[in-house]
PDB file of all heavy atoms in Angstrom:
ATOM      1  N   GLY H   6     -46.933  17.990   1.492  1.00 61.00           N
ATOM      2  CA  GLY H   6     -46.205  17.423   2.622  1.00 61.00           C
ATOM      3  C   GLY H   6     -44.886  18.135   2.845  1.00 61.00           C
ATOM      4  O   GLY H   6     -44.565  19.125   2.206  1.00 61.00           O
ATOM      5  N   ALA H  14     -23.974  11.114   4.889  1.00 86.00           N
ATOM      6  CA  ALA H  14     -23.224   9.870   4.687  1.00 86.00           C
ATOM      7  C   ALA H  14     -23.257   9.029   5.952  1.00 86.00           C
ATOM      8  O   ALA H  14     -23.403   7.802   5.897  1.00 86.00           O
ATOM      9  CB  ALA H  14     -21.789  10.191   4.281  1.00 86.00           C
ATOM     10  N   ASP H  16     -25.597   8.936   8.295  1.00 90.00           N
ATOM     11  CA  ASP H  16     -26.926   8.335   8.437  1.00 90.00           C
ATOM     12  C   ASP H  16     -27.102   7.155   7.486  1.00 90.00           C
ATOM     13  O   ASP H  16     -27.658   6.122   7.856  1.00 90.00           O
ATOM     14  CB  ASP H  16     -28.021   9.370   8.183  1.00 90.00           C
ATOM     15  CG  ASP H  16     -28.064  10.450   9.251  1.00 90.00           C
ATOM     16  OD1 ASP H  16     -27.545  10.215  10.363  1.00 90.00           O
ATOM     17  OD2 ASP H  16     -28.614  11.539   8.964  1.00 90.00           O
ATOM     18  N   ILE H  45     -34.637 -33.882   8.614  1.00 93.00           N
ATOM     19  CA  ILE H  45     -35.945 -34.526   8.417  1.00 93.00           C
ATOM     20  C   ILE H  45     -35.895 -35.442   7.195  1.00 93.00           C
ATOM     21  O   ILE H  45     -36.416 -36.569   7.206  1.00 93.00           O
ATOM     22  CB  ILE H  45     -37.063 -33.473   8.295  1.00 93.00           C
ATOM     23  CG1 ILE H  45     -37.271 -32.761   9.636  1.00 93.00           C
ATOM     24  CG2 ILE H  45     -38.370 -34.096   7.801  1.00 93.00           C
ATOM     25  CD1 ILE H  45     -38.195 -31.549   9.560  1.00 93.00           C
ATOM     26  N   LYS H  64     -35.888 -27.288   1.849  1.00 96.00           N
ATOM     27  CA  LYS H  64     -34.461 -26.980   2.027  1.00 96.00           C
ATOM     28  C   LYS H  64     -33.946 -26.209   0.816  1.00 96.00           C
ATOM     29  O   LYS H  64     -33.225 -25.211   0.949  1.00 96.00           O
ATOM     30  CB  LYS H  64     -33.659 -28.262   2.212  1.00 96.00           C
ATOM     31  CG  LYS H  64     -32.159 -28.040   2.338  1.00 96.00           C
ATOM     32  CD  LYS H  64     -31.418 -29.377   2.394  1.00 96.00           C
ATOM     33  CE  LYS H  64     -29.928 -29.208   2.316  1.00 96.00           C
ATOM     34  NZ  LYS H  64     -29.405 -28.983   1.007  1.00 96.00           N
ATOM     35  N   ILE H  74     -30.269 -13.445  -0.203  1.00 96.00           N
ATOM     36  CA  ILE H  74     -29.801 -12.615   0.922  1.00 96.00           C
ATOM     37  C   ILE H  74     -28.303 -12.322   0.776  1.00 96.00           C
ATOM     38  O   ILE H  74     -27.860 -11.189   1.007  1.00 96.00           O
ATOM     39  CB  ILE H  74     -30.116 -13.296   2.270  1.00 96.00           C
ATOM     40  CG1 ILE H  74     -31.626 -13.248   2.523  1.00 96.00           C
ATOM     41  CG2 ILE H  74     -29.359 -12.635   3.414  1.00 96.00           C
ATOM     42  CD1 ILE H  74     -32.080 -14.032   3.732  1.00 96.00           C
ATOM     43  N   MET H  86     -19.038   0.704   1.131  1.00 95.00           N
ATOM     44  CA  MET H  86     -17.664   1.061   0.769  1.00 95.00           C
ATOM     45  C   MET H  86     -17.646   2.261  -0.169  1.00 95.00           C
ATOM     46  O   MET H  86     -16.789   3.146  -0.038  1.00 95.00           O
ATOM     47  CB  MET H  86     -16.953  -0.134   0.129  1.00 95.00           C
ATOM     48  CG  MET H  86     -16.546  -1.189   1.129  1.00 95.00           C
ATOM     49  SD  MET H  86     -15.474  -2.478   0.445  1.00 95.00           S
ATOM     50  CE  MET H  86     -16.610  -3.372  -0.586  1.00 95.00           C
ATOM     51  N   ILE H  88     -19.860   4.690  -0.345  1.00 94.00           N
ATOM     52  CA  ILE H  88     -20.194   5.889   0.429  1.00 94.00           C
ATOM     53  C   ILE H  88     -19.006   6.319   1.280  1.00 94.00           C
ATOM     54  O   ILE H  88     -18.675   7.509   1.349  1.00 94.00           O
ATOM     55  CB  ILE H  88     -21.446   5.654   1.300  1.00 94.00           C
ATOM     56  CG1 ILE H  88     -22.690   5.530   0.416  1.00 94.00           C
ATOM     57  CG2 ILE H  88     -21.636   6.787   2.298  1.00 94.00           C
ATOM     58  CD1 ILE H  88     -23.925   5.057   1.164  1.00 94.00           C
ATOM     59  N   ASN H  94     -13.074  11.031  -0.069  1.00 95.00           N
ATOM     60  CA  ASN H  94     -12.738  11.931  -1.176  1.00 95.00           C
ATOM     61  C   ASN H  94     -13.212  13.348  -0.890  1.00 95.00           C
ATOM     62  O   ASN H  94     -12.500  14.317  -1.189  1.00 95.00           O
ATOM     63  CB  ASN H  94     -13.348  11.436  -2.486  1.00 95.00           C
ATOM     64  CG  ASN H  94     -12.681  10.173  -2.983  1.00 95.00           C
ATOM     65  OD1 ASN H  94     -11.570   9.843  -2.577  1.00 95.00           O
ATOM     66  ND2 ASN H  94     -13.358   9.457  -3.860  1.00 95.00           N
ATOM     67  N   ARG H 102      -8.611  22.059  -0.771  1.00 95.00           N
ATOM     68  CA  ARG H 102      -9.151  23.397  -1.029  1.00 95.00           C
ATOM     69  C   ARG H 102      -8.664  24.379   0.030  1.00 95.00           C
ATOM     70  O   ARG H 102      -8.280  25.506  -0.285  1.00 95.00           O
ATOM     71  CB  ARG H 102     -10.681  23.357  -1.058  1.00 95.00           C
ATOM     72  CG  ARG H 102     -11.316  24.644  -1.528  1.00 95.00           C
ATOM     73  CD  ARG H 102     -12.839  24.567  -1.620  1.00 95.00           C
ATOM     74  NE  ARG H 102     -13.251  23.548  -2.565  1.00 95.00           N
ATOM     75  CZ  ARG H 102     -14.035  22.529  -2.267  1.00 95.00           C
ATOM     76  NH1 ARG H 102     -14.526  22.386  -1.060  1.00 95.00           N
ATOM     77  NH2 ARG H 102     -14.383  21.646  -3.178  1.00 95.00           N
ATOM     78  N   ASP H 116       4.225  39.086  -5.710  1.00 80.00           N
ATOM     79  CA  ASP H 116       4.256  38.710  -7.116  1.00 80.00           C
ATOM     80  C   ASP H 116       5.719  38.636  -7.529  1.00 80.00           C
ATOM     81  O   ASP H 116       6.610  39.055  -6.791  1.00 80.00           O
ATOM     82  CB  ASP H 116       3.427  39.645  -8.004  1.00 80.00           C
ATOM     83  CG  ASP H 116       3.970  41.063  -8.051  1.00 80.00           C
ATOM     84  OD1 ASP H 116       4.992  41.321  -7.418  1.00 80.00           O
ATOM     85  OD2 ASP H 116       3.358  41.903  -8.733  1.00 80.00           O
ATOM     86  N   ILE H 117       5.994  38.116  -8.684  1.00 86.00           N
ATOM     87  CA  ILE H 117       7.371  37.842  -9.093  1.00 86.00           C
ATOM     88  C   ILE H 117       8.183  39.123  -9.216  1.00 86.00           C
ATOM     89  O   ILE H 117       9.383  39.143  -8.906  1.00 86.00           O
ATOM     90  CB  ILE H 117       7.409  37.000 -10.396  1.00 86.00           C
ATOM     91  CG1 ILE H 117       8.822  36.437 -10.650  1.00 86.00           C
ATOM     92  CG2 ILE H 117       6.922  37.793 -11.572  1.00 86.00           C
ATOM     93  CD1 ILE H 117       9.226  35.421  -9.629  1.00 86.00           C
ATOM     94  N   VAL H 120       9.326  40.150  -5.747  1.00 85.00           N
ATOM     95  CA  VAL H 120      10.367  39.233  -5.291  1.00 85.00           C
ATOM     96  C   VAL H 120      11.692  39.554  -5.980  1.00 85.00           C
ATOM     97  O   VAL H 120      12.745  39.615  -5.330  1.00 85.00           O
ATOM     98  CB  VAL H 120       9.959  37.765  -5.529  1.00 85.00           C
ATOM     99  CG1 VAL H 120      11.105  36.819  -5.236  1.00 85.00           C
ATOM    100  CG2 VAL H 120       8.744  37.399  -4.688  1.00 85.00           C
ATOM    101  N   LEU H 157      64.940  53.739  -3.803  1.00 54.00           N
ATOM    102  CA  LEU H 157      66.375  53.934  -3.954  1.00 54.00           C
ATOM    103  C   LEU H 157      66.799  55.159  -3.277  1.00 54.00           C
ATOM    104  O   LEU H 157      67.360  55.717  -2.612  1.00 54.00           O
ATOM    105  CB  LEU H 157      66.728  54.084  -5.427  1.00 54.00           C
ATOM    106  CG  LEU H 157      66.453  52.847  -6.252  1.00 54.00           C
ATOM    107  CD1 LEU H 157      66.676  53.197  -7.711  1.00 54.00           C
ATOM    108  CD2 LEU H 157      67.338  51.724  -5.820  1.00 54.00           C
TER     109      LEU H 157
END
Side-chain angles (χ1 to χ4, degrees):
D16 293 339
I45 292 171
K64 177 185 172 281
I74 289 173
M86 285 189 289
I88 291 170
N94 290 341
R102 189 177 299 123
D116 65 1
I117 193 67
V120 172
L157 296 173

